[in-house]
Coordinates of all heavy atoms in Angstrom, one line a residue:
P105 N -1.0 -3.7 14.3 CA 0.2 -4.0 15.0 C 0.2 -3.5 16.5 O -0.4 -2.5 16.8 CB 1.3 -3.3 14.2 CG 0.6 -2.2 13.5 CD -0.8 -2.7 13.2
S106 N 0.9 -4.2 17.3 CA 1.0 -3.8 18.7 C 1.8 -2.5 18.8 O 2.5 -2.1 17.9 CB 1.8 -4.9 19.5 OG 3.1 -4.9 19.2
R107 N 1.7 -1.8 20.0 CA 2.4 -0.6 20.2 C 3.9 -0.9 20.2 O 4.7 0.0 19.7 CB 2.0 0.1 21.4 CG 2.3 -0.6 22.7 CD 1.7 0.1 23.9 NE 1.9 -0.7 25.2 CZ 3.0 -0.6 25.9 NH1 4.0 0.2 25.5 NH2 3.2 -1.3 27.0
H108 N 4.4 -2.0 20.6 CA 5.8 -2.4 20.6 C 6.3 -2.5 19.2 O 7.4 -2.0 18.8 CB 6.0 -3.7 21.4 CG 5.9 -3.6 22.8 ND1 6.7 -2.7 23.6 CD2 5.1 -4.3 23.7 CE1 6.4 -2.8 24.9 NE2 5.4 -3.8 25.0
L109 N 5.5 -3.2 18.3 CA 5.9 -3.3 16.9 C 6.0 -2.0 16.2 O 6.9 -1.7 15.5 CB 5.0 -4.3 16.2 CG 5.3 -4.6 14.7 CD1 6.8 -5.0 14.5 CD2 4.4 -5.6 14.1
M110 N 5.0 -1.2 16.5 CA 5.0 0.2 15.8 C 6.1 1.0 16.3 O 6.8 1.7 15.5 CB 3.6 0.9 16.1 CG 2.5 0.5 15.3 SD 2.8 0.6 13.5 CE 3.2 2.3 13.3
A111 N 6.5 0.9 17.6 CA 7.6 1.7 18.1 C 8.9 1.2 17.5 O 9.8 2.0 17.1 CB 7.7 1.5 19.7
A112 N 9.0 -0.1 17.3 CA 10.2 -0.7 16.7 C 10.3 -0.2 15.2 O 11.4 0.2 14.8 CB 10.3 -2.2 16.8
L113 N 9.2 -0.3 14.5 CA 9.2 0.1 13.1 C 9.6 1.6 13.0 O 10.4 2.0 12.1 CB 7.8 -0.1 12.5 CG 7.5 -1.6 12.2 CD1 6.0 -1.7 12.0 CD2 8.2 -2.1 11.0
A114 N 8.9 2.4 13.8 CA 9.2 3.9 13.8 C 10.7 4.2 14.1 O 11.3 5.0 13.5 CB 8.3 4.6 14.7
S115 N 11.2 3.5 15.1 CA 12.6 3.6 15.5 C 13.5 3.3 14.3 O 14.4 4.1 13.9 CB 12.9 2.8 16.7 OG 14.3 2.8 17.0
F116 N 13.3 2.2 13.7 CA 14.2 1.7 12.6 C 14.1 2.7 11.4 O 15.1 3.1 10.8 CB 13.8 0.3 12.2 CG 14.8 -0.4 11.3 CD1 15.9 -1.1 11.8 CD2 14.7 -0.3 9.9 CE1 16.8 -1.7 11.0 CE2 15.6 -0.8 9.1 CZ 16.7 -1.6 9.6
C117 N 12.8 3.1 11.1 CA 12.6 4.0 10.0 C 13.2 5.3 10.2 O 13.6 6.0 9.2 CB 11.1 4.2 9.8 SG 10.2 2.9 9.0
S118 N 13.4 5.8 11.4 CA 13.9 7.1 11.7 C 15.4 7.2 11.1 O 15.8 8.3 10.8 CB 13.9 7.4 13.2 OG 14.8 6.6 13.9
K119 N 16.1 6.1 11.0 CA 17.4 6.2 10.6 C 17.7 5.4 9.3 O 18.6 5.8 8.5 CB 18.3 5.6 11.6 CG 19.8 5.9 11.5 CD 20.6 5.6 12.8 CE 22.0 6.1 12.7 NZ 22.7 5.9 14.0
Y120 N 16.9 4.4 9.0 CA 17.2 3.5 7.8 C 16.0 3.4 7.0 O 15.6 2.3 6.6 CB 17.7 2.2 8.3 CG 19.0 2.3 9.1 CD1 19.0 2.0 10.5 CD2 20.2 2.6 8.5 CE1 20.1 2.1 11.2 CE2 21.3 2.7 9.2 CZ 21.3 2.5 10.6 OH 22.5 2.6 11.3
S121 N 15.3 4.5 6.6 CA 14.0 4.4 5.9 C 14.2 3.9 4.5 O 13.3 3.3 4.0 CB 13.3 5.7 6.0 OG 14.0 6.8 5.4
Q122 N 15.3 4.3 3.8 CA 15.4 3.9 2.4 C 15.5 2.4 2.3 O 14.8 1.7 1.5 CB 16.6 4.6 1.8 CG 16.4 6.1 1.5 CD 15.7 6.4 0.2 OE1 15.9 5.6 -0.8 NE2 15.0 7.4 0.2
P123 N 16.5 1.7 3.0 CA 16.5 0.2 2.9 C 15.2 -0.4 3.4 O 14.8 -1.4 2.9 CB 17.7 -0.2 3.7 CG 18.1 1.0 4.5 CD 17.6 2.2 3.8
F124 N 14.6 0.2 4.4 CA 13.4 -0.3 5.0 C 12.3 -0.3 3.9 O 11.6 -1.3 3.7 CB 12.9 0.6 6.1 CG 11.6 0.2 6.7 CD1 11.5 -0.8 7.7 CD2 10.4 0.7 6.3 CE1 10.3 -1.2 8.2 CE2 9.2 0.4 6.8 CZ 9.1 -0.6 7.8
C125 N 12.2 0.8 3.1 CA 11.2 0.9 2.0 C 11.5 -0.1 0.9 O 10.6 -0.8 0.4 CB 11.1 2.3 1.5 SG 10.4 3.5 2.6
R126 N 12.8 -0.2 0.6 CA 13.2 -1.1 -0.5 C 12.8 -2.6 -0.2 O 12.5 -3.4 -1.1 CB 14.7 -1.0 -0.8 CG 15.1 0.3 -1.4 CD 14.8 0.3 -2.9 NE 15.2 1.6 -3.5 CZ 14.8 2.0 -4.7 NH1 13.9 1.3 -5.4 NH2 15.3 3.1 -5.1
V127 N 12.9 -3.0 1.1 CA 12.7 -4.3 1.5 C 11.2 -4.6 1.9 O 10.5 -5.4 1.3 CB 13.6 -4.7 2.6 CG1 13.2 -6.1 3.2 CG2 15.1 -4.8 2.2
L128 N 10.8 -3.9 2.9 CA 9.5 -4.2 3.5 C 8.3 -3.6 2.8 O 7.4 -4.3 2.5 CB 9.5 -3.7 5.0 CG 8.3 -4.3 5.8 CD1 8.8 -5.0 7.0 CD2 7.3 -3.2 6.1
V129 N 8.4 -2.3 2.5 CA 7.3 -1.7 1.8 C 7.1 -2.3 0.4 O 6.0 -2.6 0.0 CB 7.5 -0.1 1.7 CG1 6.4 0.5 0.9 CG2 7.5 0.5 3.1

């Protein structure tokens, strides 16, 4: 993934990691 995509993923995960894991992971 690009650095922009990784930055966006890390940013979102920092606050909403549970729903992120339930959906994406």
Side-chain angles (χ1 to χ4, degrees):
S106 71
R107 63 184 178 86
H108 287 303
L109 180 54
M110 278 307 300
L113 287 163
S115 174
F116 193 89
C117 284
S118 71
K119 195 166 189 178
Y120 299 109
S121 60
Q122 289 275 329
F124 177 86
C125 289
R126 291 281 183 196
V127 171
L128 193 129
V129 174

